[in-house]
Amino acid sequence: METKPKWTQEEVVALYNKPIMDLLYEAASIHRKYHDPNKVQVSTLISIKTGGCPEDCAYCPQAARYHTHVKSEGLMSVEQVKEQALAAKAGGSSRICMGAAWRNVKDGPEFDHVLDMVRTLNRLDMEVCCTLGMLTENQAQRLSEAGLYAYNHNLDSSADYYKEIISTRSYDDRLQTIENVRKTNITVCSGGIIGMGESIDDRVAMLITLASLIPQPESVPINALVPVSGTPMEVMETVSIWEMVRMVATARILLPTTQVRLSAGRTNMSTEGQALCFFAGANSIFSGDKLLTTPNPDVNEDMDMFKTLGLVAQQPFEKRNQPETIATEMAHYHDLGERPKWSRPKHKIQRNIAKQQDKQQQQNK
C-alpha cells in the first residue's frame, strides 16, 4: 500500500481547504484505486444495553447525568439480538455492531453474555462488531476467540479538544484500548464526530492521529453531531453537507484503504449530499431507523438511494476472512476478574458547568 509516511498539520489543513472540485477529484481518484466505487458496506447498530452510562460525554443522551428522552434498559437476551440481526441481514446488512452503554468492560456474567451474542451472530455468517467501552488485552482476546470481526472505539475529536467534551476518561485510555485490540485478530473501527464546536485544526488533528496508527484502522466512522435536548450540546448547529464532504474526502486521502463510514447525521443529508460523500470516498453506512438512540434513515430509504445511485451492498467478509468461533469450553483465554484502573482526568467540561449554572438560575427565579 502506498501511503504517505507522515502528514503534518499544515499539509492536511491545506488539503481540507482545497477548492472543493480539486479535493473531490483527488479523493475520488484514491478511492477508485483501492475500492470498488459502486460498492458500499452496510452495517446495523443494535443497542444491547441502553442508557445509564456513568460517563459525561457532552454529546451523548445515554449519560445518566443528563435529563434526556432515553430510558435505561438492561442487557438484551441472545435471542432478541439474534432476531434483530436476522432482520438486518434480510434488509441487506453485512455487519452487526452491538453497543452497550458501559464505561468499560467488566469481567463477569454480563460480559460472558455478550460473548455468547458474538458467537451466535458470527454463526449467522455476518461480520460482528462491538462497542463496549474500554477493555483490557485479555478481554479483547476473549472477544477474538468468540469470533468478533471488529471493535469500535472512537477517538471522538482531537487530543486537544477532547477535554471540552469528556472528563471521565482520557484520550490515552482510548488509544490504549485500540492498542489492546490490535494484539488480537480483531479489526479496528475508530473515528469521530464533527459539529461539536471544534475547529478545522481539531478535525485535522483527529484524522492525523487515526492515519498515524500502525496499521491504520480498517473502518473510520465520520459522525455529524445530532444535538439532543437535555445534553450540553443541545444548542449546537447542524454541520453543513460541505463540511461532511470535506471531512470524508480528507479522510479518504489520509486513509486510502480504510472503509470510511457515513454514520450519525444522515437524516439531515439529502440523497444528493450523500452521493457527494460517496464520490468523495465514503463506502460504508449504518442502516436502520435508529443509531443507538438517535434517528437514522429507514433501510427502505437507503435501498431506494442505492438503486438511484447504482450502488450495491458489499457482501460480508469481502475485505477479510470470517473469524473462527472457538467454543467457550475450548477457549484459551478466561475470566481473570480484572479490575483495571482506567484514568479519570481532573479537568472540567465548561459546557457542563454553564448548563448547570443556567439550570440553577432557572430554579432560583
Side-chain angles (χ1 to χ4, degrees):
M1 182 181 70
E2 301 170 15
T3 55
K4 194 174 187 303
K6 188 173 182 181
W7 291 92
T8 67
Q9 183 79 10
E10 293 74 18
E11 286 173 330
V12 184
V13 168
L15 183 67
Y16 181 98
N17 287 321
K18 265 189 172 187
I20 193 67
M21 296 304 178
D22 293 341
L23 179 61
L24 281 171
Y25 180 79
E26 183 174 349
S29 299
I30 290 173
H31 185 56
R32 287 171 176 269
K33 181 176 181 179
Y34 294 100
H35 306 273
D36 183 337
N38 297 314
K39 191 172 284 186
V40 175
Q41 190 272 325
V42 181
S43 297
T44 295
L45 186 55
I46 301 175
S47 182
I48 60 173
K49 190 275 177 188
T50 304
C53 182
E55 301 275 41
D56 68 352
C57 308
Y59 55 81
C60 184
Q62 297 201 71
R65 68 193 68 203
Y66 306 139
H67 299 289
T68 66
H69 64 280
V70 175
K71 294 182 180 179
S72 294
E73 299 175 5
L75 197 59
M76 293 173 65
S77 70
V78 174
E79 282 306 311
Q80 285 175 311
V81 173
K82 181 179 179 180
E83 182 180 352
Q84 290 193 28
L86 287 171
K89 184 177 183 179
S93 286
S94 62
R95 179 180 298 187
I96 294 294
C97 185
M98 298 185 287
W102 292 338
R103 167 176 161 78
N104 58 276
V105 172
K106 295 178 181 178
D107 288 346
E110 286 196 327
F111 185 42
D112 292 342
H113 192 64
V114 172
L115 294 171
D116 288 342
M117 293 178 186
V118 173
R119 287 184 167 90
T120 298
L121 298 194
N122 190 40
R123 294 187 183 109
L124 298 180
D125 294 329
M126 298 188 76
E127 297 173 6
V128 188
C129 176
C130 280
T131 179
L132 311 170
M134 295 169 291
L135 79 168
T136 66
E137 181 183 345
N138 185 71
Q139 290 164 344
Q141 293 288 4
R142 294 181 72 196
L143 285 166
S144 179
E145 287 192 329
L148 193 69
Y149 184 90
Y151 194 82
N152 167 262
H153 201 61
N154 289 336
L155 298 182
D156 284 349
S157 191
S158 69
D160 286 341
Y161 195 70
Y162 187 81
K163 63 182 181 295
E164 301 296 330
I165 52 175
I166 300 167
S167 74
T168 50
R169 69 167 90 176
S170 75
Y171 208 73
D172 286 343
D173 283 344
R174 290 184 182 264
L175 292 171
Q176 182 61 56
T177 292
I178 292 172
E179 185 178 330
N180 289 340
V181 172
R182 274 296 180 215
K183 295 173 183 177
T184 74
N185 292 322
I186 301 170
T187 63
V188 167
C189 175
S190 185
I193 308 168
I194 66 171
M196 299 188 293
E198 76 288 340
S199 66
I200 290 174
D201 278 337
D202 290 314
R203 296 176 185 179
V204 162
M206 180 189 74
L207 290 178
I208 290 174
T209 299
L210 291 168
S212 299
L213 295 175
I214 302 173
Q216 294 181 338
E218 286 80 3
S219 176
V220 168
I222 303 296
N223 297 273
L225 176 71
V226 178
V228 177
S229 178
T231 67
M233 292 190 170
E234 62 185 354
V235 297
M236 301 301 291
E237 292 186 9
T238 304
V239 297
S240 73
I241 188 60
W242 300 111
E243 292 173 276
M244 283 298 292
V245 169
R246 287 187 179 279
M247 193 67 178
V248 167
T250 307
R252 171 50 66 220
I253 294 168
L254 268 66
L255 301 146
T257 64
T258 294
Q259 295 214 264
V260 177
R261 179 177 300 123
L262 281 184
S263 296
R266 285 202 302 121
T267 51
N268 296 318
M269 300 180 201
S270 66
T271 297
E272 294 86 351
Q274 292 180 74
L276 276 174
C277 289
F278 292 133
F279 183 73
N283 60 344
S284 178
I285 62 169
F286 272 124
S287 191
D289 62 356
K290 192 178 284 188
L291 289 185
L292 294 180
T293 59
T294 56
N296 195 56
D298 178 82
V299 63
N300 293 322
E301 292 179 45
D302 285 333
M303 292 306 104
D304 287 343
M305 176 178 66
F306 275 29
K307 185 175 180 181
T308 298
L309 301 179
L311 301 174
V312 295
Q314 179 180 302
Q315 294 302 302
F317 312 115
E318 282 194 23
K319 297 289 186 179
R320 189 165 176 152
N321 291 337
Q322 181 174 7
E324 179 186 1
T325 286
I326 298 174
T328 306
E329 59 273 15
M330 301 295 292
H332 294 93
Y333 295 89
H334 305 283
D335 185 337
L336 298 179
E338 294 180 283
R339 295 185 179 275
K341 293 190 182 233
W342 299 102
S343 64
R344 289 187 179 272
K346 299 184 185 298
H347 67 263
K348 302 291 185 183
I349 301 177
Q350 294 305 311
R351 258 191 210 88
N352 290 9
I353 296 172
K355 186 174 177 63
Q356 189 62 37
Q357 290 172 341
D358 289 344
K359 183 179 177 182
Q360 193 64 49
Q361 289 173 0
Q362 292 294 327
Q363 291 174 345
N364 293 338
K365 284 183 180 179

